[in-house]
């Protein structure tokens, strides 16, 4: 018999971090724990990586849904149908069931990565901040060995942001340093085409979500004529049914899609997106979404099995003062897994 319980946990940022949704000082998660009372009380854990302003679920609904899940956590209908509108809870249940199956060993997706034989290339994220602080972050990331840098743009004066990007490109070729930018929907459709033209001169890799999600015709027009590859990010959130996914990709035809399992409904749903994208020759990569090391561990292990050679957008686990010990380490722009390290659980 499997029983479940859950509890909230507030992650504390080491320093305030700027995003398109304001300055973050803390981030609330919930942890879903499943226990098999007939198998030596084996346990599995999953993280509800809900994000204010992005996740389609209402915060007020999370605990009610988790309580329902805990009443019958092994009901297959949860993953098949009943949690489609609650992607972060669906992802937590997937994690917990996988972890329970592995009897809390911490290896959800065995691979060369979890054996410590292969690392995952990741991008170095430059947070929104005054331009001098962003410049310092760029320098730090390059010194740390990152060869792919991702900058948030659209919050400051664009000319200042463009100047910073120009500085990077004047010092490093596109072969030496790959630059990605994320606009988080900051630009108006009327100005976006001109901005893309200007950014393309800097040989950037791509731009994420140049205009706000939901403007399908405008986004489709941009993707059709863009000189700079466009990646859909927020556009995918809340698109849960297969016909909706097909319709979105058919209409917009982006160059890339970006998958955040906490926001796109977990591994099953994200793999559905990947299969559709590959049918249409659309590129993709995986991104974490401010999870603790519990969620990040699961996402990283899964990502390693997908064998995508692009740098992935996986967090470092170093954002928080009260994160948990894990097997993950960032070194020279790569995410490494140390199988000999014991994972820490928040309920122990």
């Amino acid at each position: 018999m499997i029983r479940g319980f859950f509890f909230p946990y507030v992650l504390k940022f080491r320093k305030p971090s700027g995003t398109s949704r304001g300055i973050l000082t803390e981030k609330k998660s919930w942890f879903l724990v499943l226990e098999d009372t007939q198998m030596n009380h084996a346990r599995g854990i999953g993280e509800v990586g809900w994000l204010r302003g992005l996740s389609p679920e209402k915060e007020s609904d999370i605990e009610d849904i988790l309580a329902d899940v805990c009443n019958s956590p092994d009901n297959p209908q949860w993953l098949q149908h009943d949690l489609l509108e609650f992607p972060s809870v669906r992802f937590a249940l997937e994690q917990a069931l996988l972890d329970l199956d592995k009897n809390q060993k911490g290896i959800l997706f065995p691979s060369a990565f979890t054996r410590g034989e292969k690392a995952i290339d990741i991008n170095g994220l430059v947070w929104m901040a005054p331009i001098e602080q962003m410049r310092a972050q760029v320098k730090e990331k390059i010194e740390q060995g990152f060869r792919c840098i991702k900058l948030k743009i659209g919050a400051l004066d664009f000319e200042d942001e463009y100047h910073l990007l120009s500085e990077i490109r004047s010092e490093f070729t596109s072969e030496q340093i790959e630059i990605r930018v994320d606009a988080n929907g900051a630009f108006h459709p009327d100005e976006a085409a001109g901005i893309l033209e200007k950014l393309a001169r800097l040989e950037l890799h791509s731009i994420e979500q140049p205009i706000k999600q939901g403007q399908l015709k405008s986004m489709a027009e941009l993707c059709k004529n863009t000189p700079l590859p466009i990646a859909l990010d927020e556009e995918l959130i809340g698109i849960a049914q297969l016909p909706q996914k097909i319709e979105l990709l058919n209409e917009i035809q982006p160059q890339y899609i970006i998958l955040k399992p906490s926001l796109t409904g977990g591994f099953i749903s994200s793999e559905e997106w990947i299969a559709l994208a590959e049918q249409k020759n659309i590129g993709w990569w995986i991104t974490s979404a401010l999870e603790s090391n519990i969620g990040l561990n699961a996402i990283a292990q899964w990502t390693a099995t997908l064998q995508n050679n692009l740098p992935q957008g996986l967090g470092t686990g170093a954002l928080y003062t009260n994160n948990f010990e894990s097997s993950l380490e960032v070194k020279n722009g790569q995410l490494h897994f140390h199988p000999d390290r014991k994972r820490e659980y928040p309920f122990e």
Side-chain angles (χ1 to χ4, degrees):
M1 178 180 178
I2 299 176
R3 66 174 188 176
F5 65 91
F6 66 91
F7 55 92
Y9 190 87
V10 179
L11 294 153
K12 305 288 186 179
F13 280 79
R14 293 187 183 279
K15 57 184 179 181
S17 298
T19 74
S20 60
R21 289 162 295 283
I23 304 297
L24 299 178
T25 59
E26 62 182 34
K27 190 260 180 191
K28 187 176 182 180
S29 285
W30 289 261
F31 291 103
L32 172 64
V33 181
L34 303 183
E35 183 178 46
D36 192 329
T37 58
Q38 297 176 330
M39 294 289 290
N40 299 317
H41 294 276
R43 282 179 167 180
I45 188 170
E47 180 173 356
V48 180
W50 180 84
L51 275 178
R52 186 182 306 279
L54 268 185
S55 294
E57 307 102 313
K58 294 180 181 178
E59 181 180 3
S60 58
D61 292 337
I62 296 290
E63 296 196 359
D64 288 341
I65 296 297
L66 283 170
D68 289 342
V69 169
C70 287
N71 287 331
S72 56
D74 52 352
N75 181 349
Q77 295 302 314
W78 287 124
L79 296 182
Q80 291 173 10
H81 303 290
D82 294 351
L83 290 177
L84 287 179
E85 306 304 321
F86 301 91
S88 63
V89 178
R90 190 176 191 230
F91 178 46
L93 180 58
E94 275 189 302
Q95 291 173 66
L97 288 169
L98 282 166
D99 198 26
L100 179 64
D101 183 58
K102 301 297 189 293
N103 197 10
Q104 200 177 302
K105 300 298 183 183
I107 307 297
L108 280 64
F109 296 92
S111 70
F113 174 69
T114 57
R115 293 192 297 272
E117 300 167 0
K118 189 175 181 180
I120 301 172
D121 290 329
I122 61 174
N123 61 234
L125 177 60
V126 174
W127 290 86
M128 290 180 179
I131 206 72
E132 285 303 320
Q133 292 181 28
M134 291 182 70
R135 183 175 285 110
Q137 288 184 66
V138 170
K139 181 180 178 183
E140 179 183 45
K141 296 300 179 186
I142 293 174
E143 289 175 348
Q144 290 172 348
F146 287 95
R147 291 296 171 260
C148 176
I149 307 294
K150 173 181 166 179
L151 296 91
K152 301 276 191 176
I153 65 170
L156 307 176
D157 180 79
F158 176 71
E159 290 305 318
D160 290 340
E161 295 171 336
Y162 185 81
H163 183 67
L164 174 59
L165 293 167
S166 299
E167 287 179 4
I168 303 170
R169 185 52 75 228
S170 66
E171 188 172 351
F172 301 97
T173 67
S174 57
E175 287 75 27
Q176 293 172 313
I177 297 292
E178 179 178 289
I179 303 173
R180 298 173 178 174
V181 293
D182 183 1
N184 287 124
F187 304 120
H188 190 278
D190 292 342
E191 66 177 345
I195 288 171
L196 294 177
E197 287 281 354
K198 191 167 184 178
L199 290 172
R201 300 171 197 162
L202 301 178
E203 297 182 28
L204 306 188
H205 174 270
S206 56
I207 181 170
E208 297 178 30
Q209 207 69 46
I211 63 175
K212 288 186 183 301
Q213 68 267 38
Q215 304 178 86
L216 301 188
K217 290 184 178 179
S218 295
M219 185 67 86
E221 188 68 20
L222 282 176
C223 290
K224 181 179 180 181
N225 299 299
T226 184
L228 176 64
I230 292 173
L232 302 187
D233 182 359
E234 289 92 342
E235 203 77 62
L236 308 185
I237 298 171
I239 308 298
Q241 303 285 350
L242 179 60
Q244 292 178 299
K245 295 177 179 180
I246 294 171
E247 183 180 2
L248 180 77
L249 295 183
N250 282 343
E251 180 162 359
I252 297 181
Q253 299 185 42
Q255 284 72 45
Y256 293 99
I257 59 172
I258 300 171
L259 299 159
K260 294 181 169 77
S262 287
L263 299 173
T264 54
F267 306 125
I268 297 170
S269 178
S270 297
E271 288 178 6
E272 196 171 69
W273 276 113
I274 289 170
L276 292 173
E278 290 183 342
Q279 289 171 14
K280 302 176 186 301
N281 294 315
I282 296 170
W284 56 271
W285 67 86
I286 309 301
T287 302
S288 54
L290 300 180
E291 297 87 359
S292 77
N293 278 331
I294 300 294
L296 177 59
N297 176 61
I299 294 170
Q301 290 187 33
W302 170 68
T303 301
T305 67
L306 302 176
Q307 300 182 2
N308 183 322
N309 293 325
L310 292 175
Q312 306 297 302
L314 301 180
T316 65
L319 286 174
Y320 305 117
T321 61
N322 60 339
N323 210 337
F324 312 104
E325 293 295 324
S326 82
S327 303
L328 302 173
E329 179 190 23
V330 176
K331 185 178 180 181
N332 294 326
Q334 293 183 310
L335 188 63
H336 297 257
F337 189 92
H338 297 280
D340 55 332
R341 290 186 184 175
K342 179 175 172 57
R343 185 173 63 155
E344 179 186 3
Y345 285 84
F347 53 78
E348 293 181 330

